[in-house]
Structure formats: C-alpha cells, structure tokens
Amino acid sequence: MRTLRTIADVREHVAGARRAGRSVGLVPTMGAFHAGHEALIRAAREACDEVVVSLFVNPTQFNEAADLDGYPRTEASDAAIAAELGADVLFAPPVAEIYPDGFATTIRVAGLSAVLEGVARGPEHFDGVCTVVCKLFNIVAPDVAFFGQKDAQQVVVIRRMVRDLDLPVRLHIVPTVREPDGLALSSRNARLNAAERERATALCQGLDAAQAIIAAGEPDPAPAEAAGRAAMRAAGVEPEYFALVDPDTLERVERIDGRVLVVVAARVGPARLIDNVLTDTRQVATRV
Ligand code: AMP
C-alpha cells in the first residue's frame, strides 16, 4: 500500500489503474479505525480492483473546536490496518492540500442538512461533509464510494448531492457494525468511562423498543417514539432526539407504512452519540 499526500499523486496513481482497466473504490474516513471502518474497507476490497482509503480529519465539519482538537489521530496504526485489509492507497493529505489559501466554495444540500444533526450541530456540519466528499470524488474519481449506515443522515445528504450534481459515482452503504451488546462502534466511544460505556447501550435499547412496536404493526409513529424514549430514560440517558422519519426526505412520518428510519442522538458523558435503524414493514425488520 502506498501513502500519498498530494492530489496530483493520487490522480496519477488512479489514472494508471484506470488505464489498466481497473475499477476504483473510495472509502472516505477521518481515521482512528475500528471494526466499522474495517467493514467498509473489506467491502471495497471485495467490490473493486483498486481501493483508495482517504484519511482526512476535515476541520470544516466540526462545530466544536474541542471536538476537533480532541479527535484521535492514529495514522500509523490506521495505515497498518488499511494495508492489512488490502487497500492499495492511503490518501492522507495535509489540510492545506484540501483547503488552499483563498478556498471559498461550499456545497450545501438545503433542507436535509438543517434537520436532526443539522439542528444540533448547525447545517454547516453537512456543508463541510458535502464539500470535502465532493472534492474527494473529484480527486479520486471512484466508480464506487463506501459509507456506513451508522451515519444515516450523512448517507441521505450525500445521496442527494450525488443525484443533484450528477456526480458519476455509485454509493455502497455498509450496515452498522456493533459491539456484542448492540452499541454501534464509533471513535467517540473511546471517550466513555466504564459507567458511561454501560449507559451508552441506551441508544440501541431505545431503537429495539421502537422496532418492537413497529414490528407489531402499529401504524402511528408516536407509540414507537414514546417507547424508544422511555427505554432510553430507563437506562439513564435522555435522548436529544428520537424520531421515525422518511429515509429519503428525513421528514417525520405521519404513518408507519413501508420504509421508516428510526434515528436517535444523545449525550452520554463527554460524548455525543448517534444511532439508527432502518425498518420496512413490508419486509422482515432488520437492525443494521
Ligand atoms: P468517520 O471516520 O467517523 O468519518 O467514518 C468513516 C466512515 O465509516 C463513514 O462512512 C461512517 O459512516 C463509517 N462508520 C463509522 N462507524 C461505523 C460503524 N459502526 N459501522 C459501519 N460504518 C461505520
């Protein structure tokens, strides 16, 4: 695996792969790899000939300076993991390579960026995500890009950006990887002490409670939301939001019929955690 730092080097490498007729997969990350990232890299390795993993702690998507400053930076071990999993390139550019002096362009997916996480973190969070992801798509020009269902709103926002801007890339969404007790893996879990780590399962417990009510055929979203919130409070965690939304528009559903995305966010100790489950009343429900 080669570690590349410049846009020019990545373009040259990818052009060589393309000339050889190889398909290209991109896995955008901010590093501090855990089994969730590993699942994305494995999926890319299986689906594509050439696998590019990007590692860039994108400053423009952080709404809290302390969150950015405290973000784990473990490039050496990340590089070892990516190489072990068969990635061909680790693209780890310095900030000035992505945001040169005078950088002035922002991509905003209006509406979708302003709800849920956009309320808590400001719509600028997804502006930062979309702008850097669009740049990565332009730099790497992948056939397929791999994202985790864990960040469900990010998937919805990027899907819309790809559609609206006719970006020639296919999105491959990887199911959420969880700890044995159901907690979704996240680099922010490392900030939890033992008691907080235990309470953090409240999010998936809330999702399970809501899912049980959806699976029982209740058409009104309110009982599922109430059950989810109650399960979380019983586990000692106050949800910031807990909602049943449309998986494409992120609007709260008025009736449960077909695909529903159940989304939750909560602070547990020093960490703000998110989780979600996609259900489909026309199919067997699955927690991914
Ligand atoms: P990050 O480095 O946190 O920006 O995450 C990089 C990618 O990994 C994003 O597409 C995330 O959605 C995905 N990801 C993070 N945690 C998980 C998880 N537990 N399961 C699956 N994918 C994940």
Side-chain angles (χ1 to χ4, degrees):
M1 187 188 75
R2 294 175 64 195
T3 296
L4 303 177
R5 309 258 172 218
T6 69
I7 294 166
D9 283 350
V10 172
R11 287 212 163 120
E12 195 186 316
H13 181 96
V14 171
R18 288 228 168 276
R19 274 196 302 276
R22 292 164 67 75
S23 64
V24 178
L26 169 66
V27 183
T29 81
M30 298 204 300
F33 291 169
H34 50 63
H37 299 101
E38 291 175 17
L40 266 62
I41 299 170
R42 279 201 188 92
R45 183 66 285 160
E46 269 176 34
C48 300
D49 300 322
E50 192 76 12
V51 174
V52 179
V53 177
S54 64
L55 193 178
F56 182 63
V57 182
N58 177 33
T60 64
Q61 73 187 70
F62 284 80
N63 50 312
E64 288 175 18
D67 195 21
L68 174 61
D69 292 344
Y71 205 83
R73 287 161 206 260
T74 54
E75 185 187 310
S77 61
D78 292 344
I81 291 168
E84 170 73 27
L85 294 175
D88 299 289
V89 170
L90 183 72
F91 176 41
V95 172
E97 182 73 6
I98 299 298
Y99 299 115
D101 276 351
F103 188 88
T105 303
T106 295
I107 294 178
R108 169 166 295 185
V109 178
L112 292 179
S113 296
V115 298
L116 302 172
E117 289 302 286
V119 173
R121 310 182 66 171
E124 297 79 12
H125 165 67
F126 288 111
D127 297 353
V129 170
C130 286
T131 305
V132 81
V133 167
C134 187
K135 280 177 68 80
L136 289 168
F137 287 174
N138 285 334
I139 293 163
V140 178
D143 298 284
V144 191
F146 296 79
F147 293 92
Q149 176 63 26
K150 160 75 173 30
D151 296 281
Q153 186 172 4
Q154 173 170 282
V155 170
V156 175
V157 169
I158 290 173
R159 207 184 274 298
R160 185 68 68 86
M161 172 181 77
V162 165
R163 192 202 71 174
D164 287 357
L165 298 182
D166 308 302
L167 302 178
V169 60
R170 196 157 58 76
L171 303 184
H172 179 129
I173 310 307
V174 175
T176 301
V177 178
R178 298 176 179 280
E179 301 280 7
D181 65 3
L183 177 67
L185 294 187
S186 162
S187 24
R188 293 190 171 86
N189 294 350
R191 298 181 188 172
L192 304 172
N193 67 28
E196 291 157 354
R197 167 64 187 82
E198 201 158 306
R199 279 198 298 131
T201 58
L203 281 83
C204 57
Q205 286 174 36
L207 293 174
D208 284 348
Q211 213 177 9
I213 294 200
I214 296 169
E218 170 61 55
D220 179 358
E225 289 170 346
R229 290 195 192 105
M232 289 181 67
R233 286 185 190 123
V237 172
E238 182 61 30
E240 203 172 274
Y241 60 74
F242 191 104
L244 271 60
V245 301
D246 181 287
D248 300 315
T249 66
L250 300 179
E251 283 165 16
R252 184 171 180 271
V253 296
E254 280 168 16
R255 205 187 136 74
I256 301 171
D257 182 20
R259 292 166 72 235
V260 171
L261 179 65
V262 190
V263 286
V264 59
R267 271 200 187 271
V268 180
R272 191 169 170 283
L273 305 178
I274 59 172
D275 200 352
N276 71 90
V277 61
L278 196 54
T279 67
D280 189 339
T281 51
R282 291 180 200 146
Q283 290 177 7
V284 178
T286 46
R287 183 171 82 187
V288 294

